Amino acid sequence: SSGINAEWPLRPGEEKEYLESQAESVRSSTSPYRRDVWNWYDWLTYISMLVTSAMVITCLHGDSLKETYKKEYPHFALWTSRMMCITLLLIWIKLFKFVRVYSFLGPFVVILMNTLTDIIKIVFVFVVFYVPTVAVFFQFYHNSGDPYFGGVREMMFTVYRMLLVDDYGYDDIRNFTLETQTVGVTVTPDTWWTDVIVAYWLMFGAIIILNLFIALMSDTFQRVFDNAGEVALLERASIIVAIEDRLPAGRKRKFLRYLKEKCAPLESYYDDDLGEDEDGEVKRYAEQTFDVVKSIQSQVLEWRHDAGQDLKLALRQQSHEHQKQIRRLDETVQHLRRVMEAQNRFKQPAKGAGTGSTEIG
């Protein structure tokens, strides 16, 4: 009850509702560790490494299993090799977590992460066209004898390969005999029907869907790369915050004391309970940073313009003053010249008068 104002106490029942709402907000809030996608990826990598290590140890030291499970052991060894490949791929992808702090590679890592959202969108559209197309091909060509359309798995992969305009046995499915089980007769489908199905899938799959996916990735690339520097700084800040959260209490206090005493950081309010998604946060901070940069740039341009005008005015005033001083000096020189000429004219008659008086004496 220390947080309740004593001058305006809550009415009966409101204190309980207030405490329950606060407790519910605490329970529903997620920690920054859980909000980071890379932390979930780390756990996936650790689990994959543990499973792979256990399978490898079993294969190396499980001699009794080889004798007991002679038929199942080769499949287990094959899946062990597959898990090793999957784990190796996950470990290498984890390098993106550490290179995203650099301004050269950071924006591209963010682009790849945002592309995952685009992939989810395009996969839904792709499945809407892909599933019925596989069903149509299976209905007509599953008994054609073509290895590309032998089973469901082969047919699904062949329909996918058609998007890449790969070899999918077009000539074989165009000329084959279909034995219908529903009617009990043998018919040969028209070649135009095969052309229609293949053209339909190439039109919607290889042209429309793939180009739509490329357009989505281009929009993501342009949106992130326009603020590449800001995105790299935000990624670096997120890693620094994540490292600070993992520090022990003693080392964290020591680190914060060092920042306060040696670095004098700017203190700003931050609430960990704010449930803002990563994309919105990146966009908001990028826009704020862009506005600050534009404001500073406009201020610099205005200062340069004002400084240029002041400099021109000062030079003009100095030039005017110098011209005044030059005119004053010219007037002074002219005055001195007239004074000297007057003195010379005065001295010449005086000398003549002095000579005449000497002769008379």
Side-chain angles (χ1 to χ4, degrees), residues 18-229:
Y18 172 75
L19 295 177
E20 289 178 352
S21 63
Q22 293 296 319
E24 182 64 26
S25 63
V26 171
R27 286 192 296 267
S28 61
S29 62
T30 58
S31 62
Y33 182 85
R34 294 181 180 179
R35 289 199 298 265
D36 193 354
V37 180
W38 286 105
N39 294 328
W40 292 97
Y41 185 83
D42 291 340
W43 279 106
L44 177 62
T45 305
Y46 298 150
I47 293 173
S48 178
M49 293 174 61
L50 290 175
V51 173
T52 304
S53 301
M55 296 176 70
V56 170
I57 294 173
T58 303
C59 289
L60 294 177
H61 302 283
D63 296 334
S64 59
L65 296 177
K66 297 179 182 179
E67 300 297 333
T68 306
Y69 304 98
K70 293 182 179 180
K71 295 182 179 180
E72 293 80 3
Y73 185 79
H75 297 284
F76 181 78
L78 179 61
W79 273 103
T80 301
S81 300
R82 292 173 179 172
M83 285 299 301
M84 291 176 63
C85 296
I86 294 173
T87 304
L88 182 63
L89 180 63
L90 293 176
I91 292 174
W92 275 96
I93 293 176
K94 190 178 178 181
L95 289 176
F96 287 121
K97 177 181 180 180
F98 303 101
V99 301
R100 60 191 175 124
V101 299
Y102 302 102
S103 59
F104 181 70
L105 296 174
F108 293 98
V109 177
V110 177
I111 290 172
L112 290 176
M113 294 177 62
N114 292 335
T115 305
L116 296 177
T117 306
D118 298 335
I119 292 175
I120 294 174
K121 296 176 183 178
I122 207 66
V123 162
F124 175 76
V125 180
F126 177 76
V127 169
V128 171
F129 291 97
Y130 178 72
V131 172
T133 304
V134 172
V136 170
F137 275 96
F138 184 81
Q139 177 69 24
F140 286 95
Y141 308 113
H142 70 283
N143 290 327
S144 62
D146 193 335
Y148 295 108
F149 297 90
V152 177
R153 182 175 60 84
E154 291 82 2
M155 188 167 298
M156 293 179 66
F157 187 67
T158 301
V159 173
Y160 174 75
R161 289 175 61 183
M162 293 173 67
L163 296 176
L164 307 176
V165 197
D166 198 0
D167 184 15
Y168 49 89
Y170 173 73
D171 295 332
D172 295 334
I173 65 174
R174 201 166 181 264
N175 302 301
F176 82 100
T177 301
L178 174 65
E179 296 180 359
T180 58
Q181 299 178 358
T182 57
V183 183
V185 296
T186 301
V187 296
T188 301
D190 295 329
T191 56
W192 67 267
W193 177 248
T194 303
D195 295 339
V196 168
I197 297 175
V198 173
Y200 152 78
W201 178 236
L202 291 178
M203 173 63 70
F204 284 93
I207 298 178
I208 296 178
I209 297 178
L210 286 182
N211 283 278
L212 181 61
F213 182 49
I214 294 172
L216 287 174
M217 289 193 299
S218 299
D219 179 70
T220 302
F221 176 84
Q222 187 67 31
R223 178 162 37 86
V224 177
F225 200 75
D226 287 341
N227 302 311

Side-chain angles (χ1 to χ4, degrees), residues 198-265:
V198 173
Y200 152 78
W201 178 236
L202 291 178
M203 173 63 70
F204 284 93
I207 298 178
I208 296 178
I209 297 178
L210 286 182
N211 283 278
L212 181 61
F213 182 49
I214 294 172
L216 287 174
M217 289 193 299
S218 299
D219 179 70
T220 302
F221 176 84
Q222 187 67 31
R223 178 162 37 86
V224 177
F225 200 75
D226 287 341
N227 302 311
E230 293 81 357
V231 170
L233 292 177
L234 288 175
E235 292 296 325
R236 184 179 302 177
S238 64
I239 290 182
I240 293 175
V241 172
I243 294 175
E244 289 181 1
D245 292 337
R246 298 178 186 178
L247 289 176
R251 295 186 61 184
K252 189 173 183 179
R253 287 195 298 268
K254 183 178 179 181
F255 175 69
L256 295 177
R257 189 183 306 112
Y258 175 81
L259 288 179
K260 184 177 181 180
E261 296 176 356
K262 304 294 183 179
C263 303

